[in-house]
Amino acid sequence: MTSRTPSPQNSQPSPAPSRIRQAAAGTSVWYLRAVALLNVLAVLAVPFRDEGEYFTPYLLTEGLVSAVLALWLAVAMRRRKRAAWIFNMALASPTWASMVLALAFSDADLDFRSHWVNWASTAATGLFVLVLLVGRQEFTSKGDRSNPKTAFATLLSGLVAGGGFGTLLIQATNTASGDGFLDRLNYTLCGLITVQPSTRAGELVQVPGWVDGTINLMGALLFLTVLYVAFRSPRGQELLTEADDARLRALLAEHGERDSLGYFALRRDKAAVFSPSGKAAVTYRMVGGVSLASGDPIGDPEAWPGAIEAWLSEAREHAWVPAVMGASEEAGVIYARHGLDALELGDEAIVEVAEFSLEGRAMRVVRQARNRVRRAGYTVRIRRHEEIPELEMAELVAKADRWRMGETERGFSMALGRLGAPEDGRCVMVECMDTRGELRALLSFVPWGAEGLSLDLMRRDRDTENGLMEFMVIELLQQAEELKLERVSLNFAMFRAVFERGAKLGAGPVLRLWRSVLTFFSRWWQIESLYRANAKYRPIWEPRYLLFEKSSELVRIGLASGRAEGFVSAPGLPALFRRRTRSR
């Protein structure tokens, strides 16, 4: 039987052309942006409403809460989130219908038809509903993960705290008489949404303008907090299932020697996407709308394209921004075939055990540091984690946490995020003891295939000798043959090439300026000190790259990377409730 293509006359009616749908979707975004701006101006400038009763367009309430909501919806609509479209339709449609009914059936005592603002508001809201309907097929992205229970609890506690504070503030500043507690509470709750009170509330409560602004600002901050809690990235939440962990470990057992960062794919706050064949995987974490992967894909390089395509498909499905931190040049080439561009981040320091030597003038400083620490009586013990008794490991974890001194736990692309878990038995612990046999510092390395290690954790007592870390690294390299090691990956030196080339004779003014800027920020982030600390061992420098799809998204990716790595802090739970380093 011969197949036949249906003629245009027999085909089904086509939906609105793509360009019309896109224009309608874009118009809805700009409407929400304009409403957010007008709400802010209405709070900061002259109140939008005049004396009289009339209604305003959808989401225009003269309040910062509405401004925040409109702006957040604009962002979600720009990312073509289906949930945002449904929310707007569910709220805007009855709003417009109520306006139409009010205009059609208003009585003489409350004639809404007499004011042009009501007609303009109805028209604007109706047009917004219309562009939503025309552009509905453009909104196909799935919603992000959310925390509804925590967000609802935050909302309730915020309303209690904000309502109580606002009520006390009104009681202290109210110049009218005859108001009761419920009147003040009602005024406060309304003020959390809009700075324009109702007629009855305005008769019973008369407060200075700064009080209205303060209450409304509290409402906006509360709403922002609820949104943040509802959609914050699941830091510390276990996303990697036991089944995924087992599959990743099987891939690492076969191909783990390819990437020194491969073992860090086993962080529990990462999710895994596998290729259709199951022979490769990309691990990532969603941070602020950015699907942030790290290192190279795990598994067989021939299956990498399938895993990358599956990861990118999921990102497009949710309207996430795809990005990769710390990819090697080999992986960067394959990612580039899928539309990602590359930006060099810095270099990873890798020491080849067979080529390492303390001899020569270039290693004099390192030799002197090692000899000074050795003469002070320090000794080193090197063991696999599986060789450390459970109680002793618990003590090591406790000291590691104490030496962190409550600072933010840094690391995402090059840190495991836990210490002492039973499944990490092949990791290596380097312990440094003083003359009394007391532990003063430790290093932890994760496996890099069967014959390599990659640095994970560095902790020391702050009262110890300078050069203690160098002493421990050298002792590990000196005993590498006993552990059957061929290579050790140390810290990552961000922007290493800038420091190295910028210090050479003939460096251009732009390079020297860039080096000066990085040196300035090194006071807080140790950018230059990490480079110099690694350069002592005369390692092989392996470049690592940041991969991205659009250059316009680099700022967003940078913030997400900073949050994931621990350089940019976001509000979170108090330290008392944070998970400890050790696995359960």
Side-chain angles (χ1 to χ4, degrees), residues 29 34 139 161 179 214 248 295 303 329 425 457 526:
V29 174
F139 300 93
D179 64 313
T214 300
L248 289 175
E329 186 172 359
L457 191 71
Q526 300 179 339

Side-chain angles (χ1 to χ4, degrees), residues 1 15 17 26 155 159 212 264 270 282 297 309 332-333 345 350 353-354 380 406 436 438 443 445 447 469 551 565:
M1 180 180 293
L155 176 62
L159 287 176
D212 289 328
F264 300 128
K270 290 182 179 180
V282 172
E309 185 57 41
V333 171
L345 281 178
I350 298 176
V353 173
V380 165
R436 297 174 298 177
E438 184 178 348
L443 302 176
F445 294 80
M469 292 300 177
S551 57
E565 297 287 355

Side-chain angles (χ1 to χ4, degrees), residues 468-503:
L468 202 63
M469 292 300 177
E470 290 86 345
F471 172 65
M472 297 170 69
V473 171
I474 292 172
E475 290 298 312
L476 172 67
L477 295 174
Q478 294 289 327
Q479 301 180 38
E481 292 186 5
E482 300 177 13
L483 296 170
K484 299 180 180 180
L485 298 178
E486 293 185 358
R487 57 196 181 275
V488 177
S489 172
L490 301 177
N491 274 319
F492 173 75
M494 185 173 287
F495 304 118
R496 179 199 67 88
V498 177
F499 291 109
E500 186 176 275
R501 298 170 191 165

Side-chain angles (χ1 to χ4, degrees), residues 135-193:
R136 67 188 184 281
Q137 294 184 358
E138 293 293 310
F139 300 93
T140 57
S141 301
K142 293 183 178 180
D144 297 337
R145 300 183 182 95
S146 61
N147 309 290
K149 294 181 179 179
T150 308
F152 184 70
T154 303
L155 176 62
L156 288 182
S157 59
L159 287 176
V160 172
F165 178 79
T167 301
L168 294 175
L169 189 61
I170 291 173
Q171 184 176 0
T173 58
N174 185 21
T175 58
S177 60
D179 64 313
F181 171 77
L182 293 179
D183 297 317
R184 293 191 294 271
L185 180 60
N186 177 58
Y187 189 95
T188 300
L189 295 178
C190 291
L192 293 174
I193 301 174

Side-chain angles (χ1 to χ4, degrees), residues 6-22:
S7 61
Q9 291 81 359
N10 296 330
S11 59
Q12 295 294 328
S14 60
S18 176
R19 63 180 181 276
I20 297 179
R21 297 198 308 267
Q22 293 175 1

Side-chain angles (χ1 to χ4, degrees), residues 397-462:
V397 172
K399 288 191 175 182
D401 281 342
R402 184 165 64 251
W403 290 336
R404 186 161 58 93
M405 299 295 289
E407 295 179 0
T408 302
E409 185 71 64
R410 292 182 177 177
F412 167 72
S413 56
M414 302 180 185
L416 190 57
R418 61 179 182 266
L419 184 66
E423 61 267 27
D424 300 323
R426 297 304 297 167
C427 293
V428 171
M429 185 78 75
V430 182
E431 306 160 68
C432 185
M433 280 74 67
D434 60 15
T435 55
R436 297 174 298 177
E438 184 178 348
L439 182 69
R440 305 306 297 273
L442 60 84
L443 302 176
S444 183
F445 294 80
V446 300
W448 174 11
E451 299 174 335
L453 293 178
S454 187
L455 180 61
D456 172 34
L457 191 71
M458 301 178 67
R459 296 284 166 79
R460 73 179 181 92
D461 190 335
R462 300 192 179 190

